[in-house]
Amino acid sequence: MEISETINTSKHTKQEAAKILKDKLSETAILILVGPQGGGKTTVAIESLDENTGAIFEGRVRAAQPVIMIRKDAVKKLKSLVVEHRPLPIYGRYRKLVRGIPQTRWACRVCGGKGCEECGFTGKLYPESVEELISGTVIKAFNATGTVFHGAGREDVDALMLGNGRPFVLEVRGAKKRSSIDLSALQQEINAFASYKVEVSNLEYVDHSKVKQIKEMRVDKTYRLTVMLGGDVPEERLKLCSNKLRGVITQQTPTRALHHRADRLRKRSVRPIELESFDENVAVFIVTCESGLYVKELISGDGGRTTPSLSGELGICAKVISIDVINIES
Ligand SMILES: [Zn+2]
């Protein structure tokens, strides 16, 4: 910061000094009065008070206690700056009705987000995301500068997110319009914009602690898994083998996650597993499991790293070809 000017008022009377400060404050937004303890800084500041003054306060520094005067318009500006910069968290649940949309924006792998021919100069790997489909309308409504999206976990890009939806908190940043935004009207607007792709519900103003809460949420999830089988299996045997998956599953971190997760053993429960349909080599299962279970490996076995697994029980290859999250316990 730069101090634009220093004025010495020690040769002036208190009345003259007050007049000088008054004039200076109309030109400069902030005045800092320094001088010896008991030198009359506060007295002069109070003397110079007029409708142009927004705030006067004494700095609390051990050696010297400067008196600070701030012009009224500057106080207003500072106040709104502080208020605008406080993030405004909104809780909700989202459903994703089409495949191929990531939860949040992914930067283009070629240019890292700067924009290149590969990504059509968008800087993005996917043209849209759940986050962007929601935030565009929100940013407009709050006249905000941006948003930060926090999801309670995330589904695969190719997975649908159905049922009651996945909890999220959208932090609105730099909102100039903060009050009188009716969230049920906003919800309708978001859904109209993101129609047939993403749908939000249960929008609610929350405390910032909600972010941590949804990040740490450990609840059961129900999936619809479409599984490709590597051979012929009679339906009865398929039912028998899938039923053996009920109970505790021992799972070593999946091979596909090893590059970003520590290799460790976890035990998670599979609750009901039902065969929904079966046609030639394609079986569809509805399975509910404990949070933290890698469900693709429950089917494939991941080379023996997940036991039991459908593949292991059947003695043939089994692979998930599509996943939909159909319920997240609330
Ligand atoms: Zn690019």
Side-chain angles (χ1 to χ4, degrees):
M1 200 168 88
E2 192 185 307
I3 293 175
S4 57
E5 197 185 350
T6 311
I7 318 153
N8 189 344
T9 62
S10 61
K11 298 279 189 298
H12 294 88
T13 65
K14 277 187 180 152
Q15 282 71 26
E16 285 167 349
K19 172 80 171 68
I20 292 169
L21 293 185
K22 224 183 264 196
D23 293 345
K24 271 295 151 199
L25 197 61
S26 61
E27 295 165 17
T28 315
I30 301 174
L31 298 181
I32 302 171
L33 280 47
V34 290
Q37 193 71 42
K41 299 184 295 281
T42 310
T43 318
V44 174
I46 289 169
E47 186 75 41
S48 70
L49 263 179
D50 64 8
E51 71 286 343
N52 199 24
T53 320
I56 293 181
F57 58 92
E58 291 179 305
R60 294 273 173 239
V61 187
R62 183 173 288 184
Q65 299 197 328
V67 171
I68 295 155
M69 303 180 64
I70 306 177
R71 206 169 59 201
K72 201 178 211 164
D73 60 313
V75 170
K76 273 191 191 146
K77 208 178 268 176
L78 283 170
K79 257 191 199 161
S80 64
L81 265 178
V82 169
V83 171
E84 277 171 24
H85 280 82
R86 203 169 49 206
L88 188 68
I90 297 172
Y91 167 86
R93 296 180 83 106
Y94 76 82
R95 284 157 40 90
K96 188 174 99 189
L97 310 171
V98 293
R99 298 180 200 283
I101 302 178
Q103 188 187 63
T104 51
R105 184 185 188 275
W106 282 22
C108 164
R109 288 207 179 105
V110 178
C111 63
K114 287 196 279 288
C116 67
E117 233 162 90
E118 194 68 31
C119 57
F121 300 96
T122 60
K124 298 189 283 189
L125 190 58
Y126 296 93
E128 38 193 20
S129 62
V130 171
E131 173 187 18
E132 290 164 294
L133 284 166
I134 297 171
S135 68
T137 308
V138 174
I139 288 172
K140 227 180 281 169
F142 286 90
N143 192 7
T145 52
T147 57
V148 180
F149 189 94
H150 306 276
R154 60 170 69 210
E155 63 286 338
D156 288 356
V157 173
D158 287 322
L160 301 183
M161 178 61 240
L162 304 171
N164 52 357
R166 185 183 295 277
F168 69 91
V169 172
L170 190 69
E171 264 184 64
V172 185
R173 297 282 172 92
K176 276 166 215 75
K177 204 173 164 200
R178 298 184 74 92
S179 54
S180 72
I181 300 280
D182 173 15
L183 291 185
S184 64
L186 182 65
Q187 183 170 309
Q188 280 179 16
E189 242 178 278
I190 294 169
N191 292 343
F193 175 77
S195 69
Y196 310 118
K197 292 177 183 168
V198 167
E199 202 177 275
V200 297
S201 63
N202 304 74
L203 292 192
E204 181 189 345
Y205 289 109
V206 287
D207 199 69
H208 196 266
S209 64
K210 191 79 177 177
V211 174
K212 190 161 180 272
Q213 198 187 317
I214 67 157
K215 286 285 177 198
E216 288 170 354
M217 215 174 88
R218 295 285 170 265
V219 293
D220 286 3
K221 297 181 180 75
T222 304
Y223 300 94
R224 174 178 286 115
L225 303 178
T226 306
V227 176
M228 177 74 87
L229 300 169
D232 291 329
V233 183
E235 186 167 335
E236 275 319 301
R237 184 163 142 72
L238 188 60
K239 278 185 178 163
L240 199 76
C241 288
S242 62
N243 268 328
K244 287 187 185 158
L245 302 179
R246 236 181 237 235
V248 177
I249 306 294
T250 306
Q251 190 163 60
Q252 195 77 34
T253 304
T255 321
R256 66 181 163 106
L258 279 178
H259 66 284
H260 64 275
R261 292 266 187 274
D263 191 5
R264 65 177 187 86
L265 197 73
R266 58 182 63 68
K267 286 178 191 289
R268 294 287 187 277
S269 292
V270 168
R271 313 216 207 268
I273 174 160
E274 304 287 345
L275 182 64
E276 190 186 51
S277 66
F278 182 42
D279 185 25
E280 298 202 15
N281 291 338
V282 177
V284 178
F285 292 99
I286 304 292
V287 55
T288 300
C289 41
E290 196 181 339
S291 178
L293 182 91
Y294 289 95
V295 77
K296 280 180 178 168
E297 284 68 19
L298 174 69
I299 301 303
S300 73
D302 196 22
R305 294 171 68 88
T306 294
T307 52
S309 70
L310 187 65
S311 173
E313 293 302 316
L314 288 169
I316 56 165
C317 170
K319 192 172 181 279
V320 171
I321 53 173
S322 100
I323 299 189
D324 296 327
V325 185
I326 59 173
N327 191 53
I328 293 180
E329 206 180 82
S330 45

